[in-house]
Amino acid sequence: MNELTVKEAANLLSLNNNFVILTHKRPDGDTLGCGAALCSALRRAGKRAYLLRNGGATEKFVPFIERFYTRRGFQITNEYIVTVDVASSNMLGDRLQLNVDLAIDHHESNSRFANNLLLDSTASACGEIILKVIKELCGSVTKEEADLLYIALSTDTGCFQYGNTNAASFRAAAELCELNADVAKLNQLFFRTFSRARIALEGAIMSSLRSYSAGKITMAVITRKMVEASGAGDDDMEDLASLPGKVAGTLVAAMVKENDKGFSKISLRSTGEVNVSEVCAKFGGGGHAMASGCEIDLPPEEAAEVIRAAIEEKMP
């Protein structure tokens, strides 16, 4: 495995001509925005490039990325494979056996699964890194790419409210504004517009929050029954993990969400006193010190007790 600089990664991309870009399972705005923006830049550089279809992408993102998709039924053969915002091969779902040529990522827990790695764990979003790669590769950034990278940056920082936001985040956002990213429209769409079903689900979550360790841990347990009762769909599931952290005094916010198999997806957020990546690593997950996730093959109530105990072991 070779660790690369931005310039070295751009040079490596310039030497190849046939690309497929992979995003992680349960894709968020960072992986999708990065994948589509890089695909656009590679095409401008005269390359044949596609974003592999990800069935987990919610409808809110599809209009921005669908023109970069592979055709239905596409099979990877001899393409140069690039992953964006993917920390480990198990985040690729049924593509985990693929030989990845280049990974571009910002997770400090990256497992070094690719042949080549461009990693900047100080970046608040992978979008910051892709912005640098595109400039090195093409010498310019289009408005469409700026929109995609703003989606990546803003969603991974919670519209610049999460603890991972830093000075570089704002510098990148300012640059994207100068490149004519439609900030007002994108902020309205992704952060200020919610369906009635989403608002109903939020109400159910907030009214059933649990508090532990003298209020330092706040937990939400979301069952399929709660989701069905609200009428919420996939588009309504974005950024639920941030809700428990709104309670004053919370050091660790935990969300335990029941999946379609009756098991549990865990999302943890920290104010910095607890490294939640270490907590999730215990269960085969990972991410950042202040935002991480994992899966536990237990029903939500049992998973809640297990993850609570694991967080308490790390509490200051």
Side-chain angles (χ1 to χ4, degrees):
M1 191 278 298
N2 301 309
E3 293 208 23
L4 308 178
T5 64
V6 167
K7 185 177 181 64
E8 289 169 338
N11 287 340
L12 192 58
L13 292 171
S14 70
L15 293 173
N16 293 275
N17 295 300
N18 193 11
F19 294 88
V20 62
I21 302 167
L22 275 57
T23 53
H24 60 69
K25 61 182 180 180
R26 295 187 301 277
D28 58 11
D30 196 16
T31 193
L32 294 172
C34 285
L38 181 59
C39 187
S40 172
L42 287 168
R43 290 180 181 181
R44 286 198 295 125
K47 313 296 184 180
R48 182 176 182 270
Y50 293 96
L51 181 65
L52 190 69
R53 286 182 178 271
N54 189 326
T58 59
E59 289 302 314
K60 190 174 285 188
F61 294 109
V62 170
F64 297 94
I65 63 175
E66 61 183 345
R67 84 175 188 88
F68 302 104
Y69 272 161
T70 52
R71 65 184 181 278
R72 296 192 182 278
F74 174 86
Q75 295 296 318
I76 295 174
T77 53
N78 62 345
E79 290 83 4
Y80 192 87
I81 298 176
V82 182
T83 62
V84 288
D85 192 43
V86 178
S88 64
S89 58
N90 62 17
M91 292 178 67
L92 294 173
D94 60 1
R95 306 287 180 173
L96 62 87
Q97 300 300 329
L98 289 174
N99 181 40
V100 175
D101 296 292
L102 172 63
I104 303 175
D105 190 28
H106 70 127
H107 295 92
E108 60 188 355
S109 61
N110 187 282
S111 66
R112 273 72 178 169
F113 63 94
N115 297 330
N116 299 282
L117 173 65
L118 170 57
L119 176 68
D120 181 0
S121 60
T122 68
S124 61
C126 191
E128 291 180 39
I129 309 170
I130 298 295
L131 174 60
K132 295 175 182 178
V133 171
I134 291 176
K135 290 193 294 182
E136 188 69 39
L137 180 67
C138 297
S140 63
V141 180
T142 67
K143 181 196 179 302
E144 181 178 26
E145 291 159 6
D147 281 342
L148 290 165
L149 292 174
Y150 185 79
I151 291 170
L153 177 60
S154 63
T155 56
D156 232 35
T157 58
C159 207
F160 310 96
Q161 295 182 71
Y162 295 164
N164 62 333
T165 306
N166 54 36
S169 315
F170 290 114
R171 282 194 290 269
E175 184 173 355
L176 294 171
C177 286
E178 291 170 347
L179 291 165
N180 296 314
D182 199 341
V183 171
K185 175 184 175 182
L186 295 172
N187 284 346
Q188 179 71 31
L189 175 63
F190 288 100
F191 303 104
R192 301 185 63 191
T193 304
F194 301 97
S195 70
R196 293 181 182 276
R198 165 62 184 243
I199 293 171
L201 180 58
E202 282 195 18
I205 293 168
M206 298 301 276
S207 64
S208 62
L209 290 177
R210 307 171 186 192
S211 181
Y212 306 106
S213 296
K216 294 176 181 178
I217 301 172
T218 305
M219 181 182 294
V221 177
I222 306 172
T223 64
R224 286 184 294 176
K225 185 176 180 180
M226 288 170 63
V227 175
E228 291 166 1
S230 70
D234 290 342
D235 254 8
D236 301 310
M237 298 294 116
E238 298 291 335
D239 197 32
L240 290 174
S242 66
L243 295 180
K246 294 184 177 183
V247 179
T250 301
L251 299 185
V252 178
M255 185 195 76
V256 180
K257 183 177 180 295
E258 185 178 14
N259 64 22
D260 57 5
K261 296 180 180 178
F263 295 145
S264 303
K265 177 183 181 295
I266 312 297
S267 297
L268 303 182
R269 301 290 183 268
S270 169
T271 56
E273 290 83 352
V274 177
N275 186 329
V276 292
S277 180
E278 294 177 355
V279 176
C280 290
K282 183 176 179 180
F283 304 98
H288 303 285
M290 298 173 67
S292 197
C294 61
E295 295 180 347
I296 298 178
D297 290 347
L298 290 172
E301 289 297 337
E302 295 178 43
E305 288 304 308
V306 169
I307 201 67
R308 169 191 173 184
I311 296 169
E312 288 177 338
E313 287 178 6
K314 298 288 185 179
M315 291 295 291

